[in-house]
Amino acid sequence: MAVKIKLKRLGKIRSPHYRIVVADSRTRRDGRAIEEIGLYHPVQNPSRIEVDAERVAYWLGVGAQPTEPVMAILKVTGDWQKFKGLPAPAPMKVAEPKADKRALFEAAAKASDDEPKGEAITPKAKKADKKADEAAAESTSESTEA
């Protein structure tokens, strides 16, 4: 039985994500897999790649052949070089950890407390004031017409 390490596509139409799986070469792309050994999310910036290095080394050692896209992923993670005995590649880019939203909110709240409280830039107009303004505007337009 020929075993391949290939990508299994998941996700919606324009937001794909993949699982790196070990499967028989005759199975469908998204068909039954022997084992899942990693994740690949190309839409995220930088791409999210998680690979179980021990299992990859095992399957490569037993003769599983990676497809071209999987081989490119394994070269980025350094697992292919480790298997072949080549020098390790440059380290992968990792997404920066997201800032704590609660801490950001508290810092913004303290900053707004430090600012002096002033009056509104434009005062609120009462309905009665608006009606008086409209009546005055009508009377001036009638006097100019006559």
Side-chain angles (χ1 to χ4, degrees):
M1 173 168 82
V3 178
K4 290 229 178 223
I5 302 174
K6 57 187 180 179
L7 295 176
K8 180 178 184 178
R9 189 184 194 282
L10 302 168
K12 294 188 253 181
I13 289 178
R14 287 180 183 81
S15 63
H17 55 277
Y18 300 91
R19 290 188 184 155
I20 302 170
V21 297
V22 177
D24 182 10
S25 63
R26 297 169 290 189
T27 59
R28 297 177 296 160
R29 176 189 72 178
D30 302 335
R32 187 182 60 176
I34 298 171
E35 182 180 0
E36 292 180 2
I37 57 174
L39 299 172
Y40 174 53
H41 295 248
V43 178
Q44 294 180 359
N45 191 10
S47 298
R48 178 179 168 201
I49 300 174
E50 294 178 16
V51 178
D52 186 359
E54 286 182 16
R55 298 308 295 164
V56 168
Y58 167 78
W59 283 108
L60 290 173
V62 221
Q65 295 297 313
T67 60
E68 288 183 24
V70 173
M71 188 179 296
I73 291 171
L74 294 178
K75 285 180 180 178
V76 168
T77 60
D79 293 319
W80 183 253
Q81 287 88 338
K82 191 183 300 180
F83 174 69
K84 289 292 187 178
L86 301 172
M92 291 190 324
K93 291 183 181 178
V94 181
E96 296 178 9
K98 292 185 178 179
D100 184 28
K101 289 185 179 181
R102 179 177 218 108
L104 289 174
F105 174 76
E106 290 173 357
K110 285 185 180 181
S112 67
D113 287 343
D114 295 341
E115 295 176 6
K117 304 251 187 221
E119 293 183 25
I121 296 172
T122 55
K124 290 185 177 180
K126 304 277 186 197
K127 288 184 180 179
D129 293 343
K130 284 185 180 179
K131 288 181 182 177
D133 290 340
E134 290 174 3
E138 286 178 15
S139 65
T140 55
S141 64
E142 290 175 2
S143 62
T144 55
E145 291 176 4

